Amino acid sequence: MMEEECLSEVESLHVIQDIDALQQQGINASDINKIKSAGICTVRGLKMITKKRLCEIKGISEAKVDKIKEAANKLEADNFITGYDFAEKRKACFKISTGSTELDRILGGGIESMAITEVFGEFRTGKTQLAHTLCVTTQMPGIGHSGGKVAYIDTENTFRPDRLRPIAARFNLDADAILQNVVYARAFTSEHQMELLDLVAAQFYSEPGVFKLLVIDSIIGLFRVDFSGRGELSERQQKLAQMLSKVQKISEEYNVVVYITNQMTADPGAGMTFQIDPKKPVGGNILAHASQTRIMLRKGRGELRVAKIYDSPDMPESEATFAITEAGINDPAD
Ligand SMILES: Nc1ncnc2c1ncn2[C@@H]1O[C@H](COP(=O)(O)OP(=O)(O)OP(=O)(O)O)[C@@H](O)[C@H]1O
């Protein structure tokens, strides 16, 4: 079978149905618009959300929710699929290069789409530099991947667009064109971060197949500020879980790579995380279970950093050494 034919067969398993299709099932346009305003634009997205959450949308009553869910089930019936069909579906997954040959190798080719990859480490270990490098490598064609746009949510004011220029030059790409393909938003509160995710979903939906990477740097920073103290920890974790569930759905629904960064409790002032081991990533079990692949970064000599696969559904625990250079994440010089 020709590659093109294989691709269209794989893509047919990823048909995205607009929630406007609910009108055929008797749901009125104004209710559909209310759901869209909550960042739910597809029938699959609707099926991924609980009735309770739908009831929280202003103007959508419980009775309406039942009707809407029923209509969505008619449009996309639930079915078990075989392992074989699931493997076919997963052929649409692609990997984005980190810029480091070794790190790509231990990741089985790079950072995978349809999943959340979390990178954590102490300050200056290269989490943000890796995010910058991915903004460029995402736009290059790779195996099973034709290159695409990037959505970048910055919670710590550390995105520096000009950092992309030398990285683009390394790959012989036009820096202005690279920057045009990165949509950027600064989040100021954890709530704002959540709202931005709705915008991201709407944008991914409005330009189907165009976006290939979502960066959230960092996923947890604003939660640690907004929910300070032991009394607020359970609420923080609950809100964090909701956000991660949204992020997970975006990664699967739109087949994008999701790269999130996380902090560690090395800072003795960060007492609000209540962890005894100062080398642990923050976010507790909620974050640990939400990320499919977890990578720990630590400092090496000079510009060198060591990445360790901490958790992965299909790759063994192993380490890779890379360098942080002017041209982004790269192989060590010698
Ligand atoms: N243009 C550059 N050329 C070479 N190295 C650079 C350049 N810019 C930054 N670095 C190096 O990158 C490291 C910082 O990496 P990065 O900002 O990714 O850290 P981080 O892990 O995100 O830390 P934090 O938790 O503080 O945000 C520093 O060691 C810095 O020297």
Side-chain angles (χ1 to χ4, degrees):
M1 203 187 280
M2 300 280 290
E3 200 184 313
E4 291 289 294
E5 285 174 66
C6 287
L7 204 63
S8 66
E9 202 168 276
V10 165
E11 279 170 353
S12 69
L13 291 160
H14 277 274
V15 180
I16 292 178
Q17 279 204 79
D18 193 310
I19 59 164
D20 283 335
L22 293 174
Q23 284 193 55
Q24 301 155 17
Q25 303 294 329
I27 307 298
N28 71 49
S30 99
D31 286 342
I32 292 174
N33 285 337
K34 282 175 198 156
I35 300 170
K36 276 190 185 169
S37 69
I40 305 157
C41 307
T42 67
V43 174
R44 190 161 311 162
L46 191 55
K47 292 187 61 145
M48 285 172 170
I49 198 154
T50 61
K51 287 185 179 179
K52 192 169 163 227
R53 293 269 162 268
L54 279 175
C55 283
E56 286 166 10
I57 300 173
K58 219 171 155 212
I60 304 285
S61 66
E62 215 174 316
K64 272 185 188 168
V65 164
D66 285 336
K67 263 186 76 182
I68 290 165
K69 278 280 186 185
E70 205 178 301
N73 284 339
K74 279 189 188 146
L75 289 172
E76 271 194 32
D78 287 314
N79 261 328
F80 275 91
I81 58 168
T82 63
Y84 180 85
D85 284 345
F86 188 52
E88 286 296 302
K89 195 172 169 178
R90 282 193 56 81
K91 281 188 185 164
C93 282
F94 57 88
K95 292 187 172 171
I96 293 177
S97 171
T98 59
S100 148
T101 314
E102 267 299 284
L103 183 52
D104 284 353
R105 189 184 58 74
I106 66 167
L107 288 167
I111 301 190
E112 190 178 54
S113 68
M114 276 196 214
I116 299 177
T117 297
E118 172 199 346
V119 170
F120 63 89
E122 289 180 52
F123 66 102
R124 294 203 303 121
T125 48
K127 304 179 292 292
T128 302
Q129 297 304 313
L130 179 51
H132 283 76
T133 306
L134 290 172
C135 284
V136 177
T137 54
T138 299
Q139 301 192 42
M140 293 168 22
I143 300 163
H145 165 242
S146 55
K149 286 191 180 182
V150 178
Y152 198 116
I153 298 179
D154 180 6
T155 69
E156 293 173 344
N157 192 23
T158 50
F159 179 66
R160 295 290 175 272
D162 285 336
R163 269 304 278 128
L164 302 194
R165 293 184 183 280
I167 306 175
R170 167 183 163 196
F171 295 106
N172 296 319
L173 298 168
D174 178 76
D176 286 339
I178 289 288
L179 284 166
Q180 290 287 355
N181 284 334
V182 178
V183 298
Y184 168 86
R186 169 94 164 88
F188 294 100
T189 65
S190 55
E191 268 169 28
H192 187 207
Q193 196 174 331
M194 191 77 150
E195 285 160 18
L196 287 175
L197 280 175
D198 290 341
L199 283 182
V200 163
Q203 183 128 19
F204 285 9
Y205 174 74
S206 68
E207 293 181 64
V210 168
F211 282 86
K212 302 288 181 191
L213 171 68
L214 167 63
V215 173
I216 308 175
D217 184 20
S218 78
I219 191 81
I220 192 101
L222 295 172
F223 284 86
R224 295 177 84 190
V225 176
D226 295 349
F227 301 92
S228 52
R230 192 179 284 270
E232 290 184 306
L233 195 55
S234 121
E235 193 187 349
R236 182 191 93 175
Q237 290 304 86
Q238 203 182 351
K239 292 270 193 289
L240 181 64
Q242 283 167 14
M243 167 159 311
L244 289 164
S245 149
K246 199 167 263 201
V247 172
Q248 178 69 46
K249 285 168 199 160
I250 289 175
S251 80
E252 290 182 41
E253 204 177 347
Y254 299 103
N255 188 17
V256 293
V257 169
V258 173
Y259 172 85
I260 62 174
T261 66
N262 185 16
Q263 302 162 336
M264 290 182 96
T265 50
D267 176 9
M272 60 192 74
T273 59
F274 311 114
Q275 295 191 31
I276 302 145
D277 179 356
K279 286 252 155 65
K280 273 190 176 168
V282 295
N285 287 337
I286 299 277
L287 193 45
H289 295 308
S291 319
Q292 279 76 46
T293 302
R294 310 190 89 191
I295 304 168
M296 184 169 77
L297 299 185
R298 65 172 194 270
K299 287 191 195 97
R301 196 171 24 86
E303 60 177 28
L304 299 184
R305 301 290 184 272
V306 180
K308 181 180 178 185
I309 298 197
Y310 197 72
D311 188 10
S312 158
D314 52 7
M315 298 308 291
E317 272 187 27
S318 40
E319 291 192 347
T321 300
F322 63 86
I324 305 178
T325 70
E326 171 68 5
I329 299 300
N330 211 332
D331 296 330
D334 41 291

